[in-house]
């Protein structure tokens, strides 16, 4: 690539990261809270108890605020593909088209029909139809996320496609291979489950605030009961899917795996860094290396996590960059050579074809196809190899923050559930405060998950095939800078609006209930106990 | 027609009875206006569609960009 403007690449990346991270503030709550609401409404339909209707309606209002503020924030990401990442948009061809079209159609029908029934349909449609609509909104929102995550999964592990050298586009050859690629499946289940955990913490946190304020006690305790159960089950599943994701990462994106553990020298019986702090960067090596200032390790755990074998060899960053013959790892120098050959073969193929030299073109095409899997490495010919290593500090800390917070969430669900079942939750002020303060941490963990997924795979926009320097459009960097700050302003305003409206709604609390009716319910419950 | 009226009334009454929802709809409409009438039209023009007329020209441009190795 001639005249690469790294400022342009960096600003384009920063803008995409900004919009994606703001978008992701709204999405996980929608993914999870819709299921929590569906469970609450199911209890209402089953028991006929109006208190459950009141609970359902309150959380539906909270969902509505989040949905309204967040809706369409993801569209800007699609705009950015066409403007800032045009080479990439062209190169991916129809791979993105199909999943995004399905997502668009699904979202439209979902939002215009079932969400309307969910919000407006109380007492206008039957209880069962309303419940069905609520479940369909929950399932539909999650299925909507599926298509986006499948597209992202394909970028992490491109499969099920054939590159057409005449159109310079990838063409889908196997839809099912893309949909059910191990990376896409793990990405989907792990991501949506993280949304369930975040939403559970959100519901528990707000309910804890009601309990601390000694208001809407029954409402809060019942909300906690549903959310903590849902959250605990989701946490278990989150750990399983996280484990699967790590294994698929070790197989398909070993550099990301090594970076998130700060592992430079590959070893057998590799230990997992449970807690660690990175120290100074030692410059001048190939690649640069960062020491640990402190680390606490679990022996053999990383090998087991990656390959289900405590004795397995886990390659480090140096092994991946410099190669390791013993373990059959090709060096980046060799990959760059092969990638360069692929790029040159593609150019030569086109030239020969245009000149009518068909046999010559066939030979170049053969060479191109043989080396296509290293295509992206070709752009790093003569460049510093450190540019092929992701930011280790970012990767390491985001991964460990996510895991440590995940453990904290599971423990919180367990404690909250235990004390709620024993009817002692109101007295546990420290636990209620802890639940309340955990709310922002759920967002931190959720965003950290995306940081490891996206920063950890740098410089690849499409793993091994297209780096960000080849994907970016040749536009003026200053226009990207301007829109970056414009978005920062718009999204911050939206976030402030969300928090403000949400806080007003929370302070207002659930719809008032006739005192006698509440008293009767409490009496009824005491009788049952 | 009866079904159409029922659907229309369902949405009409739903929107009419909203309280916080009215503010939210205002935010949604404002947001969509900013996105599609300002950002998409003036800022986020599709680079390849704006600069090239045909897919052939676009593919040739991308090929040129992707194979510039010197």
């Amino acid at each position: 690539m001639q005249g690469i403007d790294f400022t342009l690449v960096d600003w384009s990346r920063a803008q995409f990261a900004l919009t994606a991270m703001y978008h992701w503030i709204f999405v996980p709550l929608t993914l999870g809270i819709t299921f929590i609401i569906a469970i609450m409404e199911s209890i209402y339909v089953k028991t006929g108890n109006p208190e459950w209707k009141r609970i359902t309606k309150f959380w539906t209002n909270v969902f509505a605020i989040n949905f309204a503020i967040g809706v369409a924030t993801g569209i800007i990401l699609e705009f950015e593909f066409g403007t800032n990442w045009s080479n990439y948009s062209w190169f991916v061809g129809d791979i993105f088209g199909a999943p995004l079209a399905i997502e668009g159609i699904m979202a439209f029908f979902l939002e215009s029909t079932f969400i309307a029934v969910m919000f407006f349909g109380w007492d206008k449609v039957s209880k069962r139809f309303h419940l069905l609509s609520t479940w369909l909104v929950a399932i539909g929102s999650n299925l909507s996320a599926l298509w986006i995550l499948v597209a992202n999964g394909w970028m992490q592990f491109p499969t099920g496609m054939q590159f057409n050298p005449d159109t310079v586009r990838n063409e889908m050859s196997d839809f099912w291979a893309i949909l059910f690629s191990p990376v896409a499946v793990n990405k989907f289940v792990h991501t949506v489950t993280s949304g369930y955990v975040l939403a559970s913490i959100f519901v528990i946190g707000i309910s804890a605030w009601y309990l601390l304020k000694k208001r809407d006690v029954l409402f809060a305790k019942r909300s906690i009961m549903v959310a903590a159960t849902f959250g605990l089950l989701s946490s278990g599943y989150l750990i399983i899917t996280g484990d699967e994701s790590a294994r698929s990462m070790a197989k398909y994106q070993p550099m990301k795996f090594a970076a998130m553990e700060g592992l430079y020298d590959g070893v057998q019986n590799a230990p997992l860094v449970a807690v660690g702090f990175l120290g100074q960067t030692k410059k001048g090596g190939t690649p640069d290396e960062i020491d640990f200032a402190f680390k606490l390790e679990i022996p053999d755990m990383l090998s087991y996590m990656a390959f289900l074998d405590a004795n397995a060899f886990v390659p480090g960053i140096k092994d991946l960059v410099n190669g390791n013959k013993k373990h059959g790892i090709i060096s980046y120098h060799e990959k760059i050579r092969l990638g360069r050959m692929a790029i040159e073969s593609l150019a030569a193929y086109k030239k020969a074809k245009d000149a009518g030299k068909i046999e010559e073109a066939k030979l170049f095409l053969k060479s191109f196809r043989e080396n296509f899997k290293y295509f992206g490495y070709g752009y790093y010919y003569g460049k510093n190899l450190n540019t092929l290593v992701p930011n280790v500090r970012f990767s390491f800390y985001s991964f460990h923050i996510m895991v440590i917070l995940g453990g904290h969430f599971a423990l919180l669900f367990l404690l909250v559930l235990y004390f709620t079942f024993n009817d002692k939750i109101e007295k546990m002020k420290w636990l209620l405060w802890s639940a309340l303060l955990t709310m922002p941490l759920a967002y931190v963990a959720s965003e950290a998950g995306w940081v490891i997924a996206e920063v950890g795979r740098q410089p690849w926009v499409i793993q091994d095939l297209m780096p960000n320097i080849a994907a970016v459009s040749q536009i003026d960097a200053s226009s990207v800078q301007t829109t970056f700050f414009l978005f920062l302003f718009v999204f911050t305003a939206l976030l402030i609006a969300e928090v403000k409206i949400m806080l007003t709604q929370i302070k207002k609390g659930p719809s008032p209930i006739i005192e006698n009716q509440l008293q009767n319910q409490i009496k009824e419950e005491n009788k049952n106990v | 027609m009866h079904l159409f009226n029922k659907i229309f009334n369902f949405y009409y009454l739903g929107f009419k009875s909203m309280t916080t929802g009215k503010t939210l709809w205002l935010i949604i409409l404002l947001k969509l206006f900013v996105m599609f009438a300002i950002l998409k039209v003036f800022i986020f023009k599709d680079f390849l569609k704006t600069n090239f007329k045909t897919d052939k020209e676009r593919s040739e441009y991308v090929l040129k960009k992707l194979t510039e190795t010197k």
Side-chain angles (χ1 to χ4, degrees), chain A residues 149-400:
Chain A
L149 295 169
V150 162
N152 184 275
W154 182 83
M155 290 159 75
Q156 314 266 351
F157 174 55
T159 185
M161 86 294 189
Q162 175 85 28
F163 182 76
N164 183 336
D166 296 315
T167 59
V168 200
R169 305 191 89 166
N170 281 287
E171 290 167 358
M172 193 184 288
S173 60
D174 187 347
F175 175 75
W176 301 109
I178 295 172
L179 182 60
F180 292 116
S181 99
V183 175
V185 170
N186 283 323
K187 180 158 278 295
F188 171 66
V189 288
H190 191 60
T191 308
V192 296
T193 317
S194 75
Y196 304 162
V197 168
L198 180 141
S200 303
I201 289 166
F202 188 89
V203 171
I204 293 170
I206 291 172
S207 304
W209 182 77
Y210 285 127
L211 291 181
L212 285 166
K213 289 273 171 192
K214 295 185 177 21
R215 53 172 282 202
D216 297 293
V217 172
L218 185 64
F219 159 87
K221 277 155 74 173
R222 284 181 169 173
S223 297
I224 286 177
M225 188 77 85
V226 172
T229 308
F230 184 65
L232 189 61
L233 292 172
S234 300
S235 277
Y237 197 56
L238 192 66
I239 293 166
I240 295 168
T241 56
D243 185 50
E244 283 288 331
S245 295
R247 228 171 344 273
S248 97
M249 195 192 295
K251 191 173 176 186
Y252 302 112
Q253 296 175 300
M255 178 56 88
K256 187 198 281 187
F257 190 78
M260 75 181 195
E261 268 298 286
L263 183 71
Y264 280 88
D265 294 297
V267 276
Q268 277 184 301
N269 303 90
L272 178 79
V273 178
V275 183
F277 294 100
L278 295 167
Q280 299 290 317
T281 303
K282 283 194 285 183
K283 295 239 178 216
T286 310
D288 293 343
E289 194 174 344
I290 303 174
D291 280 337
F292 273 95
F294 163 79
K295 63 178 169 180
L296 194 67
E297 295 177 326
I298 307 171
D300 304 342
M301 195 61 193
L302 193 65
S303 289
Y304 188 78
M305 196 169 104
F307 303 106
L308 291 177
D309 175 5
N311 296 317
F313 174 81
V314 180
I317 293 169
K318 284 186 191 169
D319 300 278
L320 295 163
V321 171
N322 301 317
N324 185 325
K325 277 188 187 164
K326 190 182 164 195
H327 294 281
I329 299 168
I330 305 173
S331 72
Y332 272 12
H333 277 299
E334 180 62 5
K335 286 183 180 179
I336 288 168
R337 189 183 70 78
L338 296 170
R340 173 88 165 184
M341 205 184 283
I343 293 170
E344 287 175 350
S345 300
L346 178 62
Y349 160 78
K350 196 75 179 164
K351 207 173 167 186
K353 201 177 173 201
D354 289 348
K357 297 173 184 171
I358 302 303
E359 288 309 310
E360 205 175 300
K362 275 183 188 170
L363 284 175
F364 285 124
L365 185 61
K366 187 171 174 280
S367 166
F368 167 73
R369 294 244 184 260
E370 281 168 0
N371 298 306
F372 180 60
K373 64 178 175 177
Y374 303 113
F375 189 79
Y377 288 92
Y379 297 106
Y380 289 88
Y381 186 79
K383 290 197 171 69
N384 185 339
L385 289 183
N386 281 309
T387 51
L388 273 161
V389 178
N391 187 314
V392 174
R393 282 183 204 276
F394 246 122
S395 305
F396 176 83
Y397 285 121
S398 54
F399 172 65
H400 286 81

Side-chain angles (χ1 to χ4, degrees), chain A residues 2 157 372 469 488 512:
Chain A
Q2 247 175 352
F157 174 55
F372 180 60
I469 53 170
L488 189 63

Side-chain angles (χ1 to χ4, degrees), chain A residues 17-29:
Chain A
L18 175 86
T19 39
M21 289 181 86
Y22 263 101
H23 177 55
W24 191 249
I25 289 174
F26 307 107
V27 178
L29 184 60

